[in-house]
Amino acid sequence: MNKQLLLGAEAIAQAALDAGISGVYAYPGTPSTEITQFIQQSSQARESGVRSKWSVNEKTAYEAALGMSYAGKRALVCMKHVGLNVAADAFMNSAITGVHGGLVIVVADDPSMHSSQNEQDSRVYGKFAMLPVLEPSNQQETYDIVRYAFNLSEDVKLPVLLRIPTRLSHSRSVVVRTEATPQNQLDPTQEKNKWILLPVNARKGYHSLLEKQTQLENFSEFSKFNKVISGAGDKAVIAFGIGYNYVMEVIKTYNLNMPVLKLSQYPLPEQKIRDFTEKYQDILIAEEGYPVYEELLKGFFGNSKFRGRLDGALPRTGELSPNVLAKALGVKTNDEQTVPSVVAPRPPMLCQGCSHRDLFDALIQAMESYPQRHVFGDIGCYTLGALPPYNAISTCVDMGASVTMAKGAADAGLFPAVAVIGDSTFTHSGITGLLDAVNDGSAVTVIISDNETTAMTGGQDSSGSGKYYDICKGIGVDEKHIRQIVPLKRNFEENVKVLKEEFEYKGVSVIISQRECVQTAVKSKKKAAR
Amino acid sequence: MQKNIIISGVGGQGILTIASIIDLAAMNLGLNVKQAEVHGMSQRGGAVESHLRISSEEIFSDLIPKGKADIILSIEPMESLRYLPFLSPDGVIVTATEPYVNIPNYPELDELLKTIADSTKHIFVNADSLAKEAGSAKSYNVVMLGAAAPYLEIAVEELEKAIEMLFLLKGKEMVDMNIKAFRLGLESALNT
């Protein structure tokens, strides 16, 4: 098969296609977006009818993937780490139901929070749900491990969690494919009871999950992705996932000779780890993310032979790098050079001509006469409105929180209570909160900044385009208080007036501020020209 | 053979195109490649960089260790200095001299260029005028690739072949223009 240069994300997509998936389900989120995008653009996917449209959120994505598995076919579901919080209800319970067709869930973590609100480690979720977890170290292994994951899922009848960090998802390398497998035929499960999680069945399902743990551990013991790289001396390293790359980089660069246990499949292989750790007195644990397994190996009362993020041998937060590993392995490196003081920070900012800019200009003006100026924000490009020169946003917590936090603050007496939420974020998790506000008659003004796309992740289709008015009306917002504005400089005065009028209304009002994202506008213009 | 290259600039300046051309040329030569890119929030007019590693041996880390980059190829002068901690003591900075000013506190250009000149071996390129000479201001990034070519240890013909492969879909005109941009950059570096 041909060599291809693929991002880690793309290697996942290609492997899933070659593994015979019938569908991918996902909501965009850095660093996971490129997986689904690759499948959407793949001719192989088109020819074999793999369904790949964006889902409204991670929970709907997960459930649809589970439904495809129920029907006997293979499904891939992808999200960023915080997306798994949204899908967690379905995810946790799918460990109890188990699967029929192979189901692989890819979660892309973002240690160092390059584009995220936290750096939670999805392997914790894997342990929590007691599911097999795979964590590849490089692009080729990512391809191979995804192929393996679908077989494993069908062998043990469980969803398999694949965890990758930003640096693997967004790094390109040469990948060689293996022969593709055809899709499964439609073959709905006949084991009906195990899918009905009434307590009587759920208890059985939970027992069955517990019983499978020995089998899962066995798979880890004999996994080709878990291996020992031999070396001399009494110092050793246990390297998890991409941590292995940094460890090997240091070993190779500085000609070190030390044994390494590389782990990429969990639950932990007990025997393998026992055999390895018994031989050495000083063991560095290199994990990308939380010290999940370090904590486990060290134990509650601590075992000083294990070093890592908990004792400061490695930094407690942020992603690993060759340099922090070199330091932890006692290598002297020449990395004292600092960034010259003349270099100014260049933070991300809203694009020139962006519709959010004109909205914020009007919003700041409309708020000016109020002593309390709080605007509840949300997740998307418009979060950048929190930075200078706007300083227009007071909060950014999680998808949809602008609406519900504004509602809660209004309940507490804050006036005006204003939320700014993007179109895609609104359909992801804003509608339910708006219904709460309607049912409670809360005095909130929800501004949907509709740029007709999911812009921050690169312009994916937005689920509710053209439907926002109807959605708001449908859940009971008074039509007189669903206002539509076009955020342009020439409409500034008019827009300020509309905003002020709705701030003053003592009930739920929605302002749909609609103008296409400048980035997607340029793209569609180019497309039209071709 | 091993080369560690940091490509830097501002979101939207086309650093990934440069990376793709080098990737392709290296892969055609049967070399190993790893190239870490920046997507997401940091792209919006912010500082962006790509870590590109090519080697005849296995490459482990996706990130270049600090102090181990052979080249910083920057499409913007201030951005070249942001990654100075990655540059090896005998490394080279190849940078365009035209500043991209989208922040209020952008430093004085003279001071910037002097800091670069005092820091390490360097090649300054007037990429904007060369790109226009090639036929399009947009070929700025390919001009810079040309200027860095003498340091890449990849034959010029291989890089040109990769440019051809990459731009072929966009038509012969685009190929010719970018080859011209590449050669102007190369010439400018060789005459420095």
Side-chain angles (χ1 to χ4, degrees), chain A residues 111-361:
Chain A
S112 285
M113 304 180 222
H114 299 282
S115 279
S116 304
Q117 302 79 41
N118 73 28
E119 59 173 32
Q120 67 183 58
D121 189 322
S122 301
R123 298 175 305 165
V124 176
Y125 263 115
K127 267 181 76 197
F128 190 21
M130 290 182 271
L131 291 175
V133 176
L134 298 167
E135 189 185 14
S137 63
N138 64 38
Q139 291 78 355
Q140 181 67 56
E141 190 174 56
T142 300
Y143 178 89
D144 297 338
I145 227 166
V146 169
R147 295 297 303 266
Y148 169 76
F150 278 99
N151 295 337
L152 178 66
S153 172
E154 287 178 359
D155 283 349
V156 298
K157 294 285 173 204
L158 287 174
V160 172
L161 190 149
L162 179 84
R163 185 245 190 181
I164 52 161
T166 304
R167 292 302 174 186
L168 181 52
S169 182
H170 287 169
S171 176
R172 225 171 263 285
S173 193
V174 175
V175 171
V176 182
R177 291 164 59 190
T178 43
E179 203 182 328
T181 325
Q183 291 184 30
N184 290 351
Q185 295 298 314
L186 175 67
D187 168 34
T189 179
Q190 300 305 320
E191 297 175 278
K192 293 260 163 76
N193 283 345
K194 76 169 208 172
W195 291 84
I196 305 168
L197 293 186
L198 283 167
V200 59
N201 296 333
R203 285 181 204 116
K204 278 186 207 151
Y206 185 42
H207 273 290
S208 149
L209 176 64
L210 289 171
E211 275 164 14
K212 282 179 188 172
Q213 297 305 304
T214 318
Q215 190 192 0
L216 297 184
E217 219 180 286
N218 248 327
F219 275 108
S220 295
E221 289 288 356
F222 299 103
S223 168
K224 65 173 174 178
F225 305 110
N226 293 339
K227 61 179 184 192
V228 175
I229 292 90
S230 56
D234 60 354
K235 284 189 180 179
V237 185
I238 303 181
F240 293 79
I242 199 170
Y244 172 73
N245 292 357
Y246 300 130
V247 169
M248 293 308 288
E249 178 78 24
V250 175
I251 287 180
K252 186 178 165 222
T253 309
Y254 298 97
N255 278 318
L256 307 181
N257 185 2
M258 64 175 65
V260 178
L261 172 59
K262 170 195 177 291
L263 294 176
S264 288
Q265 181 167 354
Y266 328 125
L268 291 185
E270 189 188 324
Q271 195 56 47
K272 203 169 212 130
I273 289 181
R274 190 181 294 280
D275 292 347
F276 187 81
T277 55
E278 268 172 7
K279 288 187 228 160
Y280 309 105
Q281 282 319 303
D282 180 345
I283 301 171
L284 182 74
I285 298 178
E287 288 181 84
E288 182 75 305
Y290 286 13
V292 180
Y293 294 111
E294 181 183 340
E295 232 169 43
L296 198 68
L297 291 172
K298 224 173 155 67
F300 186 71
F301 295 106
N303 179 339
S304 59
K305 83 175 186 178
F306 293 109
R307 300 186 302 125
R309 288 192 187 265
L310 290 174
D311 68 344
L314 289 167
R316 180 62 181 81
T317 65
E319 58 184 352
L320 297 172
S321 70
N323 293 77
V324 301
L325 255 313
K327 199 169 154 230
L329 291 171
V331 175
K332 178 94 189 67
T333 57
N334 287 325
D335 56 5
E336 289 80 37
Q337 174 76 52
T338 51
V339 178
S341 57
V342 66
V343 177
R346 196 186 312 250
M349 57 179 70
L350 292 169
C351 305
Q352 292 304 318
C354 169
S355 57
H356 299 313
R357 282 183 180 251
D358 291 306
L359 172 65
F360 286 133
D361 284 336

Side-chain angles (χ1 to χ4, degrees), chain A residues 33 372 405 518:
Chain A
T33 314
Q372 299 278 3
M405 283 182 72
V518 285

Side-chain angles (χ1 to χ4, degrees), chain B residues 107-179:
Chain B
E108 287 298 321
L109 182 61
D110 289 348
E111 194 190 349
L112 263 182
L113 297 181
K114 186 173 178 307
T115 311
I116 298 172
D118 291 346
S119 301
T120 184
K121 194 161 80 178
H122 58 279
I123 300 281
F124 288 149
V125 185
N126 296 319
D128 193 37
S129 59
L130 294 177
K132 282 176 186 150
E133 193 183 329
S136 164
K138 279 189 188 156
S139 63
Y140 200 86
N141 50 355
V142 182
V143 169
M144 290 312 302
L145 171 65
Y151 302 95
L152 294 176
E153 276 187 49
I154 294 178
V156 165
E157 305 80 67
E158 292 294 334
L159 289 167
E160 291 194 354
K161 204 162 78 187
I163 291 174
E164 226 180 291
M165 283 167 75
L166 201 74
F167 287 101
L168 203 59
L169 269 177
K170 296 183 175 171
K172 177 146 189 336
E173 232 170 81
M174 279 294 280
V175 173
D176 292 344
M177 196 257 290
N178 279 292
I179 294 279

Side-chain angles (χ1 to χ4, degrees), chain B residues 93-105:
Chain B
I93 289 181
V94 180
T95 183
T97 49
E98 293 86 347
Y100 184 98
V101 183
N102 63 348
I103 47 170
N105 53 338

Side-chain angles (χ1 to χ4, degrees), chain A residues 492-505:
Chain A
F492 177 78
E493 298 296 338
E494 174 62 23
N495 292 347
V496 171
K497 189 169 152 272
V498 171
L499 286 162
K500 278 184 165 173
E501 283 169 11
E502 295 310 326
F503 291 170
E504 289 298 323
Y505 174 59

